[in-house]
Amino acid sequence: MKPLTDFEKYVIEQKGTERPFSGEYVNHDAKGQYLCKKCLAPLYKSEHKFNAHCGWPAFDDEIPGAVKRTIDADGQRVEITCFQCGGHLGHVFEGEQLTPKNVRHCVNSVSMIFQAAPDSTTNLSISEFATFGAGCFWCVEAIFAALKGVIKVQSGYAGGEARHANYDSVCSGRTGHAEVVHIEFDPSMISYDELLEVLFKSHDPTTLNQQGNDKGTQYRSVIFTHNAEQILKANQMIEQLQQARIWPNPIVTEISAFENFYPAESYHDDYFAKHGEQPYCQMVVKPKVDKFKKLFADKLK
């Protein structure tokens, strides 16, 4: 998972509280669902949210089994935490008559991540998206671009902030960005599970912040998930691979909710296809691509 900031740790792990009216979700009304910031478990749906004018996001219901209630030590209030990871969310109140359900979950914005619902009025395509980091994006792009069912692969940056989204700054390893590929695919031709299978067979997910001689957080193994189903599938895949003991060391692949993708500079597009004779491509990219084509011959275009 993406590491928590000091303030996020203060609220989520030390049971702190953000200032009223300071959180990004206080007046948020988009359609989708709210996930736990720490473990990405789904907590609330947008239809549960209402404006309580209290200074914090308010919900009058929860996704079944997502939230745990515990009476505070002083016996005055009821704390709510993420059932999956125990992260502090806020407190729950009853009897205020604010909605017909007569319940208010008062939640810190910083304890959550919002996952937008697909817009049926604008997203008429059958395609879906996957975003992976597995080392140098020249290698990863060349591998996924060869798959049947993959419509487009774009190299770029994710995990950091917009002002650092350029090759020179990302190469410093200090921006928070990872080199990633943003994949548009047709789920009727290739499934997300199959894309995950390719991802894990095309790089070493047990080396922290490193692929071969490429070292730094920008080369970390990471899956940026676009919805709750992808979170579930990615976690299931990692658990299955761990149990199979394919690698002697544990998998360190990070799973983070997708927030933003910043396309790389245009000269990175189809880099291996255009510059395959360069030394790095010959020594690093080509062996990986050749190995991949042997493993997945039945999935190639």
Side-chain angles (χ1 to χ4, degrees), residues 106-143:
C106 184
V107 185
N108 292 286
S109 290
V110 75
S111 296
M112 303 181 293
I113 288 177
F114 180 71
Q115 192 88 65
D119 186 348
S120 60
T121 63
T122 58
N123 185 17
L124 302 179
S125 171
I126 61 171
S127 64
E128 296 181 9
F129 294 91
T131 307
F132 301 141
C136 173
F137 49 31
W138 296 344
C139 299
V140 189
E141 181 190 72
I143 288 171

PDB file of all heavy atoms in Angstrom, residues 106-143:
ATOM      1  N   CYS A 106     -19.757  10.004  11.487  1.00  0.00           N
ATOM      2  CA  CYS A 106     -18.957  11.221  11.351  1.00  0.00           C
ATOM      3  C   CYS A 106     -17.518  10.787  11.085  1.00  0.00           C
ATOM      4  O   CYS A 106     -16.838  10.272  11.982  1.00  0.00           O
ATOM      5  CB  CYS A 106     -19.059  12.039  12.632  1.00  0.00           C
ATOM      6  SG  CYS A 106     -18.212  13.627  12.566  1.00  0.00           S
ATOM      7  N   VAL A 107     -17.055  10.982   9.846  1.00  0.00           N
ATOM      8  CA  VAL A 107     -15.809  10.356   9.397  1.00  0.00           C
ATOM      9  C   VAL A 107     -14.786  11.411   8.969  1.00  0.00           C
ATOM     10  O   VAL A 107     -15.133  12.389   8.304  1.00  0.00           O
ATOM     11  CB  VAL A 107     -16.078   9.401   8.209  1.00  0.00           C
ATOM     12  CG1 VAL A 107     -14.806   8.650   7.832  1.00  0.00           C
ATOM     13  CG2 VAL A 107     -17.195   8.420   8.555  1.00  0.00           C
ATOM     14  N   ASN A 108     -13.546  11.206   9.327  1.00  0.00           N
ATOM     15  CA  ASN A 108     -12.462  12.071   8.859  1.00  0.00           C
ATOM     16  C   ASN A 108     -12.217  11.846   7.369  1.00  0.00           C
ATOM     17  O   ASN A 108     -12.049  10.700   6.931  1.00  0.00           O
ATOM     18  CB  ASN A 108     -11.171  11.768   9.622  1.00  0.00           C
ATOM     19  CG  ASN A 108     -11.248  12.167  11.077  1.00  0.00           C
ATOM     20  OD1 ASN A 108     -11.204  13.343  11.408  1.00  0.00           O
ATOM     21  ND2 ASN A 108     -11.359  11.175  11.957  1.00  0.00           N
ATOM     22  N   SER A 109     -12.176  12.909   6.598  1.00  0.00           N
ATOM     23  CA  SER A 109     -11.874  12.776   5.166  1.00  0.00           C
ATOM     24  C   SER A 109     -10.545  12.064   4.946  1.00  0.00           C
ATOM     25  O   SER A 109     -10.395  11.247   4.026  1.00  0.00           O
ATOM     26  CB  SER A 109     -11.815  14.153   4.503  1.00  0.00           C
ATOM     27  OG  SER A 109     -13.073  14.749   4.416  1.00  0.00           O
ATOM     28  N   VAL A 110      -9.564  12.374   5.787  1.00  0.00           N
ATOM     29  CA  VAL A 110      -8.219  11.843   5.599  1.00  0.00           C
ATOM     30  C   VAL A 110      -8.158  10.336   5.794  1.00  0.00           C
ATOM     31  O   VAL A 110      -7.191   9.692   5.392  1.00  0.00           O
ATOM     32  CB  VAL A 110      -7.232  12.559   6.548  1.00  0.00           C
ATOM     33  CG1 VAL A 110      -7.399  12.083   7.984  1.00  0.00           C
ATOM     34  CG2 VAL A 110      -5.790  12.393   6.083  1.00  0.00           C
ATOM     35  N   SER A 111      -9.207   9.755   6.393  1.00  0.00           N
ATOM     36  CA  SER A 111      -9.248   8.311   6.592  1.00  0.00           C
ATOM     37  C   SER A 111      -9.734   7.568   5.359  1.00  0.00           C
ATOM     38  O   SER A 111      -9.753   6.334   5.347  1.00  0.00           O
ATOM     39  CB  SER A 111     -10.166   7.960   7.774  1.00  0.00           C
ATOM     40  OG  SER A 111      -9.666   8.476   8.985  1.00  0.00           O
ATOM     41  N   MET A 112     -10.119   8.314   4.299  1.00  0.00           N
ATOM     42  CA  MET A 112     -10.753   7.683   3.145  1.00  0.00           C
ATOM     43  C   MET A 112     -10.113   8.084   1.820  1.00  0.00           C
ATOM     44  O   MET A 112      -9.416   9.094   1.728  1.00  0.00           O
ATOM     45  CB  MET A 112     -12.242   8.052   3.099  1.00  0.00           C
ATOM     46  CG  MET A 112     -13.039   7.696   4.338  1.00  0.00           C
ATOM     47  SD  MET A 112     -14.793   8.141   4.203  1.00  0.00           S
ATOM     48  CE  MET A 112     -14.703   9.941   4.158  1.00  0.00           C
ATOM     49  N   ILE A 113     -10.391   7.288   0.806  1.00  0.00           N
ATOM     50  CA  ILE A 113     -10.105   7.600  -0.595  1.00  0.00           C
ATOM     51  C   ILE A 113     -11.410   7.421  -1.358  1.00  0.00           C
ATOM     52  O   ILE A 113     -12.149   6.469  -1.107  1.00  0.00           O
ATOM     53  CB  ILE A 113      -9.023   6.669  -1.176  1.00  0.00           C
ATOM     54  CG1 ILE A 113      -7.645   6.993  -0.607  1.00  0.00           C
ATOM     55  CG2 ILE A 113      -8.978   6.758  -2.698  1.00  0.00           C
ATOM     56  CD1 ILE A 113      -6.555   6.064  -1.078  1.00  0.00           C
ATOM     57  N   PHE A 114     -11.704   8.325  -2.280  1.00  0.00           N
ATOM     58  CA  PHE A 114     -12.937   8.219  -3.064  1.00  0.00           C
ATOM     59  C   PHE A 114     -12.667   7.504  -4.376  1.00  0.00           C
ATOM     60  O   PHE A 114     -11.684   7.794  -5.075  1.00  0.00           O
ATOM     61  CB  PHE A 114     -13.514   9.600  -3.346  1.00  0.00           C
ATOM     62  CG  PHE A 114     -14.782   9.560  -4.161  1.00  0.00           C
ATOM     63  CD1 PHE A 114     -15.967   9.098  -3.602  1.00  0.00           C
ATOM     64  CD2 PHE A 114     -14.781   9.970  -5.483  1.00  0.00           C
ATOM     65  CE1 PHE A 114     -17.135   9.050  -4.350  1.00  0.00           C
ATOM     66  CE2 PHE A 114     -15.948   9.932  -6.238  1.00  0.00           C
ATOM     67  CZ  PHE A 114     -17.121   9.469  -5.662  1.00  0.00           C
ATOM     68  N   GLN A 115     -13.539   6.566  -4.719  1.00  0.00           N
ATOM     69  CA  GLN A 115     -13.454   5.830  -5.983  1.00  0.00           C
ATOM     70  C   GLN A 115     -14.681   6.197  -6.809  1.00  0.00           C
ATOM     71  O   GLN A 115     -15.816   5.832  -6.467  1.00  0.00           O
ATOM     72  CB  GLN A 115     -13.429   4.324  -5.715  1.00  0.00           C
ATOM     73  CG  GLN A 115     -13.066   3.502  -6.931  1.00  0.00           C
ATOM     74  CD  GLN A 115     -11.579   3.308  -7.062  1.00  0.00           C
ATOM     75  OE1 GLN A 115     -10.969   2.671  -6.220  1.00  0.00           O
ATOM     76  NE2 GLN A 115     -10.984   3.815  -8.113  1.00  0.00           N
ATOM     77  N   ALA A 116     -14.489   6.964  -7.878  1.00  0.00           N
ATOM     78  CA  ALA A 116     -15.614   7.441  -8.678  1.00  0.00           C
ATOM     79  C   ALA A 116     -16.280   6.303  -9.440  1.00  0.00           C
ATOM     80  O   ALA A 116     -15.620   5.357  -9.887  1.00  0.00           O
ATOM     81  CB  ALA A 116     -15.141   8.508  -9.656  1.00  0.00           C
ATOM     82  N   ALA A 117     -17.591   6.400  -9.608  1.00  0.00           N
ATOM     83  CA  ALA A 117     -18.333   5.430 -10.409  1.00  0.00           C
ATOM     84  C   ALA A 117     -18.189   5.785 -11.884  1.00  0.00           C
ATOM     85  O   ALA A 117     -18.037   6.957 -12.227  1.00  0.00           O
ATOM     86  CB  ALA A 117     -19.805   5.446 -10.014  1.00  0.00           C
ATOM     87  N   PRO A 118     -18.218   4.793 -12.778  1.00  0.00           N
ATOM     88  CA  PRO A 118     -18.166   5.093 -14.216  1.00  0.00           C
ATOM     89  C   PRO A 118     -19.326   5.994 -14.611  1.00  0.00           C
ATOM     90  O   PRO A 118     -20.442   5.838 -14.103  1.00  0.00           O
ATOM     91  CB  PRO A 118     -18.287   3.713 -14.876  1.00  0.00           C
ATOM     92  CG  PRO A 118     -17.863   2.743 -13.818  1.00  0.00           C
ATOM     93  CD  PRO A 118     -18.288   3.351 -12.515  1.00  0.00           C
ATOM     94  N   ASP A 119     -19.070   6.936 -15.487  1.00  0.00           N
ATOM     95  CA  ASP A 119     -20.098   7.854 -15.972  1.00  0.00           C
ATOM     96  C   ASP A 119     -20.752   7.249 -17.205  1.00  0.00           C
ATOM     97  O   ASP A 119     -20.182   7.257 -18.292  1.00  0.00           O
ATOM     98  CB  ASP A 119     -19.461   9.202 -16.312  1.00  0.00           C
ATOM     99  CG  ASP A 119     -20.508  10.247 -16.695  1.00  0.00           C
ATOM    100  OD1 ASP A 119     -21.675   9.861 -16.920  1.00  0.00           O
ATOM    101  OD2 ASP A 119     -20.137  11.430 -16.768  1.00  0.00           O
ATOM    102  N   SER A 120     -21.954   6.737 -17.042  1.00  0.00           N
ATOM    103  CA  SER A 120     -22.622   6.044 -18.144  1.00  0.00           C
ATOM    104  C   SER A 120     -22.986   6.976 -19.291  1.00  0.00           C
ATOM    105  O   SER A 120     -23.235   6.534 -20.402  1.00  0.00           O
ATOM    106  CB  SER A 120     -23.900   5.361 -17.627  1.00  0.00           C
ATOM    107  OG  SER A 120     -24.790   6.313 -17.073  1.00  0.00           O
ATOM    108  N   THR A 121     -22.998   8.286 -19.035  1.00  0.00           N
ATOM    109  CA  THR A 121     -23.368   9.219 -20.107  1.00  0.00           C
ATOM    110  C   THR A 121     -22.187   9.555 -21.004  1.00  0.00           C
ATOM    111  O   THR A 121     -22.361   9.994 -22.127  1.00  0.00           O
ATOM    112  CB  THR A 121     -23.911  10.532 -19.520  1.00  0.00           C
ATOM    113  OG1 THR A 121     -22.878  11.173 -18.749  1.00  0.00           O
ATOM    114  CG2 THR A 121     -25.105  10.265 -18.631  1.00  0.00           C
ATOM    115  N   THR A 122     -20.975   9.356 -20.490  1.00  0.00           N
ATOM    116  CA  THR A 122     -19.804   9.696 -21.292  1.00  0.00           C
ATOM    117  C   THR A 122     -18.926   8.494 -21.578  1.00  0.00           C
ATOM    118  O   THR A 122     -18.201   8.472 -22.547  1.00  0.00           O
ATOM    119  CB  THR A 122     -18.950  10.752 -20.573  1.00  0.00           C
ATOM    120  OG1 THR A 122     -18.555  10.244 -19.296  1.00  0.00           O
ATOM    121  CG2 THR A 122     -19.742  12.021 -20.360  1.00  0.00           C
ATOM    122  N   ASN A 123     -18.990   7.474 -20.744  1.00  0.00           N
ATOM    123  CA  ASN A 123     -18.134   6.315 -20.921  1.00  0.00           C
ATOM    124  C   ASN A 123     -18.921   5.208 -21.601  1.00  0.00           C
ATOM    125  O   ASN A 123     -19.405   4.279 -20.957  1.00  0.00           O
ATOM    126  CB  ASN A 123     -17.603   5.848 -19.559  1.00  0.00           C
ATOM    127  CG  ASN A 123     -16.595   4.720 -19.687  1.00  0.00           C
ATOM    128  OD1 ASN A 123     -16.052   4.492 -20.754  1.00  0.00           O
ATOM    129  ND2 ASN A 123     -16.377   4.019 -18.574  1.00  0.00           N
ATOM    130  N   LEU A 124     -19.098   5.337 -22.908  1.00  0.00           N
ATOM    131  CA  LEU A 124     -19.885   4.375 -23.656  1.00  0.00           C
ATOM    132  C   LEU A 124     -19.041   3.237 -24.194  1.00  0.00           C
ATOM    133  O   LEU A 124     -19.558   2.290 -24.769  1.00  0.00           O
ATOM    134  CB  LEU A 124     -20.590   5.093 -24.821  1.00  0.00           C
ATOM    135  CG  LEU A 124     -21.499   6.255 -24.401  1.00  0.00           C
ATOM    136  CD1 LEU A 124     -22.113   6.896 -25.644  1.00  0.00           C
ATOM    137  CD2 LEU A 124     -22.566   5.799 -23.429  1.00  0.00           C
ATOM    138  N   SER A 125     -17.749   3.283 -24.000  1.00  0.00           N
ATOM    139  CA  SER A 125     -16.855   2.252 -24.505  1.00  0.00           C
ATOM    140  C   SER A 125     -16.917   1.029 -23.614  1.00  0.00           C
ATOM    141  O   SER A 125     -17.176   1.102 -22.411  1.00  0.00           O
ATOM    142  CB  SER A 125     -15.419   2.781 -24.545  1.00  0.00           C
ATOM    143  OG  SER A 125     -14.520   1.748 -24.837  1.00  0.00           O
ATOM    144  N   ILE A 126     -16.669  -0.138 -24.208  1.00  0.00           N
ATOM    145  CA  ILE A 126     -16.626  -1.378 -23.442  1.00  0.00           C
ATOM    146  C   ILE A 126     -15.263  -1.557 -22.801  1.00  0.00           C
ATOM    147  O   ILE A 126     -15.061  -2.481 -22.023  1.00  0.00           O
ATOM    148  CB  ILE A 126     -16.925  -2.596 -24.342  1.00  0.00           C
ATOM    149  CG1 ILE A 126     -15.864  -2.723 -25.461  1.00  0.00           C
ATOM    150  CG2 ILE A 126     -18.318  -2.509 -24.932  1.00  0.00           C
ATOM    151  CD1 ILE A 126     -15.961  -4.020 -26.246  1.00  0.00           C
ATOM    152  N   SER A 127     -14.329  -0.691 -23.114  1.00  0.00           N
ATOM    153  CA  SER A 127     -12.973  -0.869 -22.617  1.00  0.00           C
ATOM    154  C   SER A 127     -12.864  -0.545 -21.133  1.00  0.00           C
ATOM    155  O   SER A 127     -13.668   0.198 -20.574  1.00  0.00           O
ATOM    156  CB  SER A 127     -11.984  -0.010 -23.411  1.00  0.00           C
ATOM    157  OG  SER A 127     -12.266   1.359 -23.235  1.00  0.00           O
ATOM    158  N   GLU A 128     -11.841  -1.140 -20.495  1.00  0.00           N
ATOM    159  CA  GLU A 128     -11.514  -0.875 -19.107  1.00  0.00           C
ATOM    160  C   GLU A 128     -10.044  -0.498 -19.030  1.00  0.00           C
ATOM    161  O   GLU A 128      -9.325  -0.523 -20.041  1.00  0.00           O
ATOM    162  CB  GLU A 128     -11.817  -2.106 -18.244  1.00  0.00           C
ATOM    163  CG  GLU A 128     -13.289  -2.475 -18.201  1.00  0.00           C
ATOM    164  CD  GLU A 128     -13.572  -3.680 -17.321  1.00  0.00           C
ATOM    165  OE1 GLU A 128     -12.646  -4.133 -16.594  1.00  0.00           O
ATOM    166  OE2 GLU A 128     -14.702  -4.190 -17.356  1.00  0.00           O
ATOM    167  N   PHE A 129      -9.582  -0.143 -17.815  1.00  0.00           N
ATOM    168  CA  PHE A 129      -8.214   0.322 -17.658  1.00  0.00           C
ATOM    169  C   PHE A 129      -7.495  -0.424 -16.540  1.00  0.00           C
ATOM    170  O   PHE A 129      -8.108  -0.840 -15.558  1.00  0.00           O
ATOM    171  CB  PHE A 129      -8.190   1.828 -17.376  1.00  0.00           C
ATOM    172  CG  PHE A 129      -8.671   2.658 -18.535  1.00  0.00           C
ATOM    173  CD1 PHE A 129     -10.010   3.003 -18.646  1.00  0.00           C
ATOM    174  CD2 PHE A 129      -7.789   3.074 -19.526  1.00  0.00           C
ATOM    175  CE1 PHE A 129     -10.469   3.751 -19.726  1.00  0.00           C
ATOM    176  CE2 PHE A 129      -8.231   3.827 -20.606  1.00  0.00           C
ATOM    177  CZ  PHE A 129      -9.578   4.164 -20.703  1.00  0.00           C
ATOM    178  N   ALA A 130      -6.198  -0.586 -16.722  1.00  0.00           N
ATOM    179  CA  ALA A 130      -5.315  -1.158 -15.708  1.00  0.00           C
ATOM    180  C   ALA A 130      -4.048  -0.320 -15.696  1.00  0.00           C
ATOM    181  O   ALA A 130      -3.604   0.158 -16.754  1.00  0.00           O
ATOM    182  CB  ALA A 130      -4.986  -2.614 -16.028  1.00  0.00           C
ATOM    183  N   THR A 131      -3.458  -0.136 -14.532  1.00  0.00           N
ATOM    184  CA  THR A 131      -2.248   0.670 -14.417  1.00  0.00           C
ATOM    185  C   THR A 131      -1.236  -0.078 -13.548  1.00  0.00           C
ATOM    186  O   THR A 131      -1.509  -0.355 -12.379  1.00  0.00           O
ATOM    187  CB  THR A 131      -2.549   2.053 -13.807  1.00  0.00           C
ATOM    188  OG1 THR A 131      -3.605   2.677 -14.557  1.00  0.00           O
ATOM    189  CG2 THR A 131      -1.316   2.939 -13.836  1.00  0.00           C
ATOM    190  N   PHE A 132      -0.083  -0.408 -14.154  1.00  0.00           N
ATOM    191  CA  PHE A 132       0.920  -1.225 -13.482  1.00  0.00           C
ATOM    192  C   PHE A 132       2.299  -0.568 -13.525  1.00  0.00           C
ATOM    193  O   PHE A 132       2.663   0.085 -14.515  1.00  0.00           O
ATOM    194  CB  PHE A 132       1.060  -2.595 -14.164  1.00  0.00           C
ATOM    195  CG  PHE A 132      -0.190  -3.407 -14.221  1.00  0.00           C
ATOM    196  CD1 PHE A 132      -0.496  -4.156 -15.357  1.00  0.00           C
ATOM    197  CD2 PHE A 132      -1.064  -3.461 -13.145  1.00  0.00           C
ATOM    198  CE1 PHE A 132      -1.641  -4.936 -15.423  1.00  0.00           C
ATOM    199  CE2 PHE A 132      -2.223  -4.237 -13.199  1.00  0.00           C
ATOM    200  CZ  PHE A 132      -2.513  -4.976 -14.338  1.00  0.00           C
ATOM    201  N   GLY A 133       3.076  -0.784 -12.479  1.00  0.00           N
ATOM    202  CA  GLY A 133       4.485  -0.433 -12.470  1.00  0.00           C
ATOM    203  C   GLY A 133       5.296  -1.699 -12.235  1.00  0.00           C
ATOM    204  O   GLY A 133       4.995  -2.477 -11.319  1.00  0.00           O
ATOM    205  N   ALA A 134       6.321  -1.917 -13.050  1.00  0.00           N
ATOM    206  CA  ALA A 134       7.121  -3.144 -12.943  1.00  0.00           C
ATOM    207  C   ALA A 134       8.547  -2.894 -13.417  1.00  0.00           C
ATOM    208  O   ALA A 134       9.143  -3.699 -14.112  1.00  0.00           O
ATOM    209  CB  ALA A 134       6.483  -4.276 -13.747  1.00  0.00           C
ATOM    210  N   GLY A 135       9.087  -1.731 -13.070  1.00  0.00           N
ATOM    211  CA  GLY A 135      10.425  -1.385 -13.531  1.00  0.00           C
ATOM    212  C   GLY A 135      10.358  -0.381 -14.667  1.00  0.00           C
ATOM    213  O   GLY A 135       9.383   0.366 -14.802  1.00  0.00           O
ATOM    214  N   CYS A 136      11.374  -0.361 -15.489  1.00  0.00           N
ATOM    215  CA  CYS A 136      11.448   0.576 -16.619  1.00  0.00           C
ATOM    216  C   CYS A 136      10.242   0.421 -17.529  1.00  0.00           C
ATOM    217  O   CYS A 136       9.937  -0.672 -17.991  1.00  0.00           O
ATOM    218  CB  CYS A 136      12.729   0.330 -17.406  1.00  0.00           C
ATOM    219  SG  CYS A 136      12.837   1.277 -18.931  1.00  0.00           S
ATOM    220  N   PHE A 137       9.538   1.524 -17.797  1.00  0.00           N
ATOM    221  CA  PHE A 137       8.310   1.398 -18.581  1.00  0.00           C
ATOM    222  C   PHE A 137       8.557   1.054 -20.047  1.00  0.00           C
ATOM    223  O   PHE A 137       7.637   0.651 -20.749  1.00  0.00           O
ATOM    224  CB  PHE A 137       7.386   2.609 -18.436  1.00  0.00           C
ATOM    225  CG  PHE A 137       7.990   3.977 -18.604  1.00  0.00           C
ATOM    226  CD1 PHE A 137       9.064   4.215 -19.442  1.00  0.00           C
ATOM    227  CD2 PHE A 137       7.446   5.055 -17.918  1.00  0.00           C
ATOM    228  CE1 PHE A 137       9.576   5.494 -19.608  1.00  0.00           C
ATOM    229  CE2 PHE A 137       7.951   6.338 -18.062  1.00  0.00           C
ATOM    230  CZ  PHE A 137       9.026   6.554 -18.920  1.00  0.00           C
ATOM    231  N   TRP A 138       9.786   1.177 -20.530  1.00  0.00           N
ATOM    232  CA  TRP A 138      10.062   0.735 -21.896  1.00  0.00           C
ATOM    233  C   TRP A 138       9.816  -0.768 -22.028  1.00  0.00           C
ATOM    234  O   TRP A 138       9.251  -1.230 -23.012  1.00  0.00           O
ATOM    235  CB  TRP A 138      11.505   1.050 -22.289  1.00  0.00           C
ATOM    236  CG  TRP A 138      11.840   2.503 -22.344  1.00  0.00           C
ATOM    237  CD1 TRP A 138      10.983   3.549 -22.380  1.00  0.00           C
ATOM    238  CD2 TRP A 138      13.158   3.068 -22.361  1.00  0.00           C
ATOM    239  NE1 TRP A 138      11.665   4.746 -22.422  1.00  0.00           N
ATOM    240  CE2 TRP A 138      13.008   4.478 -22.419  1.00  0.00           C
ATOM    241  CE3 TRP A 138      14.436   2.537 -22.339  1.00  0.00           C
ATOM    242  CZ2 TRP A 138      14.101   5.342 -22.441  1.00  0.00           C
ATOM    243  CZ3 TRP A 138      15.531   3.395 -22.367  1.00  0.00           C
ATOM    244  CH2 TRP A 138      15.361   4.790 -22.423  1.00  0.00           C
ATOM    245  N   CYS A 139      10.258  -1.521 -21.028  1.00  0.00           N
ATOM    246  CA  CYS A 139      10.071  -2.979 -21.041  1.00  0.00           C
ATOM    247  C   CYS A 139       8.588  -3.335 -20.908  1.00  0.00           C
ATOM    248  O   CYS A 139       8.056  -4.149 -21.665  1.00  0.00           O
ATOM    249  CB  CYS A 139      10.830  -3.630 -19.896  1.00  0.00           C
ATOM    250  SG  CYS A 139      12.623  -3.394 -19.901  1.00  0.00           S
ATOM    251  N   VAL A 140       7.942  -2.720 -19.932  1.00  0.00           N
ATOM    252  CA  VAL A 140       6.571  -3.086 -19.611  1.00  0.00           C
ATOM    253  C   VAL A 140       5.625  -2.727 -20.756  1.00  0.00           C
ATOM    254  O   VAL A 140       4.724  -3.492 -21.102  1.00  0.00           O
ATOM    255  CB  VAL A 140       6.123  -2.407 -18.296  1.00  0.00           C
ATOM    256  CG1 VAL A 140       4.774  -2.961 -17.845  1.00  0.00           C
ATOM    257  CG2 VAL A 140       7.161  -2.629 -17.199  1.00  0.00           C
ATOM    258  N   GLU A 141       5.847  -1.579 -21.371  1.00  0.00           N
ATOM    259  CA  GLU A 141       5.009  -1.170 -22.490  1.00  0.00           C
ATOM    260  C   GLU A 141       5.110  -2.160 -23.645  1.00  0.00           C
ATOM    261  O   GLU A 141       4.099  -2.559 -24.231  1.00  0.00           O
ATOM    262  CB  GLU A 141       5.415   0.217 -22.978  1.00  0.00           C
ATOM    263  CG  GLU A 141       4.564   0.730 -24.140  1.00  0.00           C
ATOM    264  CD  GLU A 141       5.126   1.988 -24.772  1.00  0.00           C
ATOM    265  OE1 GLU A 141       6.161   1.894 -25.452  1.00  0.00           O
ATOM    266  OE2 GLU A 141       4.516   3.047 -24.581  1.00  0.00           O
ATOM    267  N   ALA A 142       6.333  -2.574 -23.964  1.00  0.00           N
ATOM    268  CA  ALA A 142       6.543  -3.500 -25.077  1.00  0.00           C
ATOM    269  C   ALA A 142       5.839  -4.824 -24.840  1.00  0.00           C
ATOM    270  O   ALA A 142       5.317  -5.445 -25.777  1.00  0.00           O
ATOM    271  CB  ALA A 142       8.042  -3.723 -25.288  1.00  0.00           C
ATOM    272  N   ILE A 143       5.798  -5.276 -23.601  1.00  0.00           N
ATOM    273  CA  ILE A 143       5.160  -6.555 -23.272  1.00  0.00           C
ATOM    274  C   ILE A 143       3.645  -6.467 -23.404  1.00  0.00           C
ATOM    275  O   ILE A 143       3.013  -7.271 -24.097  1.00  0.00           O
ATOM    276  CB  ILE A 143       5.570  -6.991 -21.853  1.00  0.00           C
ATOM    277  CG1 ILE A 143       7.039  -7.441 -21.859  1.00  0.00           C
ATOM    278  CG2 ILE A 143       4.659  -8.083 -21.317  1.00  0.00           C
ATOM    279  CD1 ILE A 143       7.621  -7.690 -20.491  1.00  0.00           C
TER     280      ILE A 143
END
